[in-house]
Structures are given as C-alpha cells and as structure tokens.
Amino acid sequence: MAWEILNILAVGAFAFSGAIVALNERYDIFGTFILGIATPFAGGVIRNIALDVPVVHVWEQGYLLYVAFGTIAIVYFFPKSWVMSWDRWNIYLDAIGLSAFALQGASFAIENDFPLGGVIFASILTGVGGGVTRDVLAQRRPMVLHQEIYAVWALLVGLVIGIGLFSIDNAIQMYILFILIIACRVLSYHLGWHLRFRDMYRI
C-alpha cells in the first residue's frame, strides 16, 4: 500500500509537471499528452535499459497510466488562467516526483539484488530521468545540468537505502525519507544552493 500511494503521487506530480511545461511552451493537445506521459514513465524505461532488465512499457502500467491521463486531461481542459496560476507550484510537484521515483528506483535495485553502485545508479536514473526527458522534449536545458542541486538528492536516496540506513520494507521509514528529500529539494531551490565552485576560485 505504501508503494502504491507513492507511485500514484509520483505519476500524478510528474504528469502534471510535464503538462504544465507543455502548455507553457504552447504545445497542442497531442504534444501536451506526449510530454505529460513521458515525464512520469521515461525514468523507469531509461533505468531498465541501462541496467539491462526487461522494460515495462507505458501501456503496461495499469492504473498508473489512467492516473497520468486523468491528470493531463485536467491540466489541458481546465481554464488556462487557472492552470497557469498553478505553475508556481511546479517546483513542489517536481520535488514530489523526484523523491518518489528515486525511492522507487532504489527499491527496484534492492529487490533485484544490485550492489550499492547499482542502487545509487537506479535511484538517480529513475528520479531524474523523467524530468530530463521532459526538459529535452520541451527544448529546455535539463535541470540536472544546472548549477542547482537536483540529482544529488536522488543520489542520496540510493546511498542511504543501499547502505541500509533506511529499509524499503519499513513504510514509516520510506515516508520519512520521501518527505525529507522533498524538503531538501525545495530548500535547495529557494535558498539557491548549488554545486558550482568555479566562482569561488575566480580571481
């Protein structure tokens, strides 16, 4: 049940985020649905390809596909003035998706008996893959390549789960980590934390 709730939250948040970006870029209905579908599901596809495990296709996602379609439809068919006012919440939705999918990726790797490096790798790919795909399709510079701290939070998820600080079998621990990563991502955005050290050494 814990994972089902996290999956629903992640898919809904990333589908919403993808659809909002599509509308901001003035995509038509087809483009909006494509971007909205790619954002929540691309990370898992990229992860499975990279780890050489069977790919779960988008049309095999069951009820999660309907969650994505319903979310995108709400975004597209609601009055545009309302939707664009929701854009300021996109950072929070992106943080929810990043956290939940990073947890999902780490859990996937643990269940498939990958070593620590594989757990971290799976967490990063699943957490940031959808956002990168969204930004590339929207012809934007991917956030993971910005000076902002973004992928580091997915890496942190993989690390603490991989070394056993948090157990994927403990729902309470998973929700604590889920909320903690969301908070870290939002704080890093609002406080302007970054990984660029070049300016520190500029003469």
Side-chain angles (χ1 to χ4, degrees):
M1 179 62 70
W3 286 114
E4 289 180 1
I5 293 173
L6 286 179
N7 281 336
I8 291 172
L9 287 173
V11 169
F14 263 12
F16 192 101
S17 176
I20 287 288
V21 169
L23 290 180
N24 279 331
E25 299 297 328
R26 300 185 181 276
Y27 281 34
D28 61 14
I29 184 171
F30 181 76
T32 302
F33 271 85
I34 290 296
L35 203 60
I37 290 295
T39 306
F41 297 120
V45 172
I46 294 170
R47 176 201 64 212
N48 286 21
I49 292 173
L51 297 178
D52 195 27
V53 297
V55 174
V56 178
H57 299 289
V58 171
W59 54 87
E60 297 175 349
Q61 296 289 342
Y63 68 93
L64 294 176
L65 183 61
Y66 299 115
V67 170
F69 271 121
T71 303
I72 299 164
I74 289 173
V75 173
Y76 190 83
F77 292 109
F78 262 52
K80 295 300 181 287
S81 58
W82 294 10
V83 173
M84 292 309 167
S85 69
W86 298 341
D87 188 38
R88 66 180 181 272
W89 301 103
N90 210 5
I91 175 60
Y92 303 101
L93 295 170
D94 191 80
I96 291 171
L98 170 69
S99 180
F101 277 123
L103 284 165
Q104 184 195 87
S107 173
F108 175 87
I110 290 289
E111 291 172 352
N112 284 275
D113 298 320
F114 281 92
L116 176 60
V119 176
I120 294 174
F121 190 60
S123 181
I124 293 173
L125 286 182
T126 314
V128 309
V132 170
T133 302
R134 173 199 62 208
D135 293 340
V136 169
L137 290 177
Q139 299 182 4
R140 294 182 172 188
R141 184 174 56 169
M143 276 193 294
V144 70
L145 302 179
H146 284 200
Q147 64 186 44
E148 288 179 30
I149 298 178
Y150 188 74
V152 170
W153 304 125
L155 183 153
L156 180 62
V157 170
L159 178 63
V160 298
I161 290 178
I163 64 178
L165 287 180
F166 287 80
S167 172
I168 63 171
D169 297 320
N170 189 314
I172 294 177
Q173 289 186 11
M174 286 298 95
Y175 280 121
I176 290 173
L177 185 56
F178 171 65
I179 294 171
L180 179 62
I181 295 301
I182 292 174
C184 287
R185 168 59 187 148
V186 171
L187 281 174
S188 69
Y189 174 81
H190 286 295
L191 298 179
W193 297 347
H194 60 80
L195 296 175
R196 190 177 67 182
F197 299 102
R198 182 183 60 188
D199 293 341
M200 295 172 59
Y201 302 102
R202 182 175 295 169
I203 299 176

